[in-house]
Amino acid sequence: MLVIESWVINDDSPVPVSSEVVLEALRARIDRGQRETWLASSSGRVLAFVTNTERAMVMLLEEEGDPGEHAVDPEAEGSSDGFVLSNEQDDEYPDEDTVPIGEAFRLVEHIVGTGSWPTNARWVGDR
């Protein structure tokens, strides 16, 4: 029997978000100045999205505390700041460890819809 995960935004409503509405929810949060979003799945996995509005860090964790895996852009050079966390911390990341915002949206939508990275996604394990 195939069991599909459901995902909720950790600090929003307990109502699950589908792949059809997750991008709308992320964009609305960004418009309100919330650049950090954590989604929790019904199986205990966690999906993190942190953006500076141009690039984003996308991480998929098997459980809270897991080092997980994150999307990468190996050809990118330099670094970007402006990744403002909910605790007001302003982080800077190497661009190779983040992806352009459009790619980040595609990855989140796919993970929420299928539970896994797209086959053409570039990511690395941090375990």
Side-chain angles (χ1 to χ4, degrees), residues 20-21 39 42-43 45 48-50 53 59-60 75 107 123:
E20 291 82 17
V21 300
L39 295 102
S42 56
S43 68
R45 298 191 313 149
F49 173 91
V50 181
T53 70
M59 299 179 295
L60 182 60
E75 288 80 37
L107 297 174
W123 57 274

Side-chain angles (χ1 to χ4, degrees), residues 49-99:
F49 173 91
V50 181
T51 185
N52 67 357
T53 70
E54 293 177 14
R55 299 187 69 80
M57 168 77 70
V58 179
M59 299 179 295
L60 182 60
L61 316 174
E62 287 302 314
E63 59 191 22
E64 193 172 321
D66 173 36
E69 45 207 41
H70 72 277
V72 295
D73 185 358
E75 288 80 37
E77 296 180 3
S79 61
S80 298
D81 63 2
F83 294 89
V84 180
L85 306 181
S86 58
N87 66 1
E88 306 286 325
Q89 180 177 319
D90 188 343
D91 283 350
E92 179 176 335
Y93 300 121
D95 286 345
E96 65 187 356
D97 285 328
T98 62
V99 294

Side-chain angles (χ1 to χ4, degrees), residues 13-35:
S13 165
V15 176
V17 291
S18 66
S19 61
E20 291 82 17
V21 300
V22 71
L23 298 186
E24 180 182 327
L26 288 176
R27 286 184 180 109
R29 291 172 61 83
I30 293 167
D31 288 347
R32 291 191 307 265
Q34 296 173 289
R35 296 184 181 180

